[in-house]
Amino acid sequence: MRIVLTGGGTGGHIYPALAIGREVTAREPDSSLLYIGTERGLESRIVPEQGVRFQSIHITGFRRSLSLDNVRTVMRFLKGVKRSKAMLSEFKPDIVVGTGGYVCGPVVYAAAKLGIPTLIHEQNVVPGLTNKFLSRYADGVAVSFADSKPHFGRKPNVVHAGNPCASAVAKGDRLKGFASLGLAPQTPFVLVVGGSRGAKALNDAIVDMAPKLGSLTGVHFIFVTGERYYEETLARMKGPLSAAESRVHVLPYVRNMPEVLAAASLVVSRAGASSLAEITSLGVPSILVPSPNVTNNHQQPNAESLEAAGAAVMILEKNLTGDALFRTIAGIMGDPARREAMSRASRGLGMPEAAATIYDQIKGIIRKR
């Protein structure tokens, strides 16, 4: 199979695209992949590191208010469509798969106009502007959350597939997770992680609740601060830890996150779509603090979806304090029956077969064409 992947701006768009690519090459080893992104986006670094061929177009997103910049964006879009048509005509893909972000717009649109089969994948509950626009032209739509389907109207081509990032993490070895942290198997621990770059609001709450951690006997805490916040957060915590110091592990980054997640008793996290796919794939209970600094506040509906199912507790960042976070953690860790119920609910939402489902959807679209 020859497949073009496109998506960018954030890891939440890039990693699902790469996961789809991995599934395709695992099923069909002779497949050829081309990733089209922007020259300055994260994808320009991440994709080549994964050994995937990368090409770029220049495009920016629309502003939600009236602006002269939107006129320029339309011109860039048209130029992007022209360049995308040239790249697609040269590569001759069997299908183009877009995973969101404004770079998808000209690439998927160009493919549709060239008669190339297309699929878009939406990670969040509330679709982004680009995917809403492209759904008119795409041969198929895959969504991570069932709650997303009404946002695409009555289109018959929308499949609740899940997020393909869930498929890789579902294989995480929990024993390796414990070993990598220097913990004995079955040690209860709370994982607090604010994404690959860290989250200052979560780090501040961690520092505030540090003096209380000693009261949760036997529970360890893994705090992943993000590399840019590590030294500062570690210095701020040294004094308040006191009796709990041996049970608190402050790390700048975790490179084997699937294994660590598989071992965790409870995770405190942002509510990005890929993170939630990984958490539910493993059936881990969670406390979710949606980032208010994302487009259209899309993380809050993601978190609300898990909370409504009983898989998570949501704390809005405006209500996040060390005391609020500690009380919520203590309430869950001190109640095994509640934690087990949350775990079952989380696992019930998990879709570890997501990548395979999307692969089957891709094959169906190609056959139909």
Side-chain angles (χ1 to χ4, degrees):
M1 185 190 305
R2 297 180 69 80
I3 179 171
V4 166
L5 304 168
T6 180
T10 68
H13 297 311
I14 301 163
Y15 291 114
L18 291 172
I20 293 169
R22 281 194 297 272
E23 183 71 17
V24 168
T25 53
R27 299 287 196 96
E28 302 181 30
D30 60 344
S31 295
S32 296
L33 306 182
L34 170 64
Y35 197 113
I36 301 177
T38 59
E39 68 272 26
R40 295 184 179 179
L42 284 174
E43 62 271 20
S44 65
R45 174 178 57 82
I46 293 172
V47 173
E49 287 176 352
Q50 298 298 310
V52 176
R53 180 181 172 190
F54 179 81
Q55 291 183 325
S56 67
I57 61 172
H58 180 58
I59 184 68
T60 55
F62 281 97
R63 295 184 181 273
R64 292 178 179 268
S65 57
L66 291 174
S67 168
L68 183 60
D69 286 342
N70 283 343
V71 177
R72 298 189 185 99
T73 297
V74 170
M75 298 305 296
R76 293 187 190 109
F77 178 87
L78 295 174
K79 289 181 180 178
V81 170
K82 183 178 180 180
R83 174 156 169 74
S84 296
K85 283 183 175 180
M87 288 189 286
L88 295 173
S89 296
E90 178 187 355
F91 187 72
K92 296 179 173 57
D94 296 302
I95 192 167
V96 173
V97 178
T99 53
Y102 44 78
V103 69
C104 283
V107 181
V108 175
Y109 181 80
K113 292 303 178 183
L114 289 172
I116 300 169
T118 56
L119 170 71
I120 57 173
H121 180 269
E122 176 55 54
Q123 296 87 45
N124 297 297
V125 170
V126 179
L129 289 175
T130 303
N131 274 353
K132 285 279 284 183
F133 164 72
L134 291 174
S135 65
R136 299 177 228 170
Y137 304 97
D139 295 284
V141 179
V143 297
S144 293
F145 292 90
D147 294 345
S148 296
K149 295 182 78 170
H151 291 280
F152 290 101
R154 297 183 180 274
K155 292 184 178 295
N157 61 351
V158 181
V159 173
H160 178 209
N163 190 309
C165 290
S167 300
V169 81
K171 301 171 185 175
D173 187 326
R174 62 195 310 266
L175 291 179
K176 289 183 178 178
F178 284 118
S180 69
L181 298 171
L183 300 178
Q186 312 309 320
T187 301
F189 73 86
V190 178
L191 172 66
V192 184
V193 56
S196 58
R197 295 184 176 183
K200 187 176 185 303
L202 279 178
N203 291 340
D204 289 343
I206 288 169
V207 173
D208 288 344
M209 72 176 185
K212 303 179 180 181
L213 298 182
S215 62
L216 278 179
T217 307
V219 178
H220 285 246
F221 295 85
I222 309 298
F223 295 144
V224 186
T225 63
E227 291 180 345
R228 61 177 171 169
Y229 298 118
Y230 174 67
E231 296 293 345
E232 175 195 353
T233 305
L234 184 63
R236 292 172 65 194
M237 290 190 69
K238 279 186 177 178
L241 282 178
S242 60
E245 189 168 2
S246 64
R247 293 187 283 111
V248 175
H249 314 266
V250 184
L251 306 173
Y253 189 77
V254 169
R255 299 193 181 280
N256 61 328
M257 188 57 76
E259 295 168 351
V260 171
L261 264 178
S265 305
L266 173 68
V267 61
V268 181
S269 171
R270 289 301 202 184
S274 295
S275 295
L276 301 195
E278 294 169 351
I279 289 168
T280 56
S281 177
L282 292 163
V284 185
S286 58
I287 298 169
L288 302 175
V289 185
S291 171
N293 307 312
V294 293
T295 304
N296 206 29
N297 195 33
H298 65 253
Q299 286 195 8
Q300 186 171 331
N302 294 353
E304 289 171 343
S305 181
L306 265 70
E307 185 174 52
V313 175
M314 181 179 72
I315 303 176
L316 295 179
E317 187 170 299
K318 65 182 180 180
N319 300 325
L320 180 66
T321 63
D323 184 61
L325 182 57
F326 178 77
R327 280 189 284 105
T328 308
I329 290 173
I332 296 171
M333 293 303 295
D335 188 342
R338 180 187 181 190
R339 196 164 73 248
E340 178 55 33
M342 290 178 70
S343 179
R344 285 196 302 270
S346 178
R347 193 172 291 107
L349 296 174
M351 300 185 74
E353 72 289 351
T357 301
I358 293 171
Y359 171 81
D360 291 340
Q361 191 178 4
I362 287 171
K363 295 293 286 187
I365 289 170
I366 294 172
R367 282 195 300 268
K368 187 175 180 180
R369 277 295 192 96

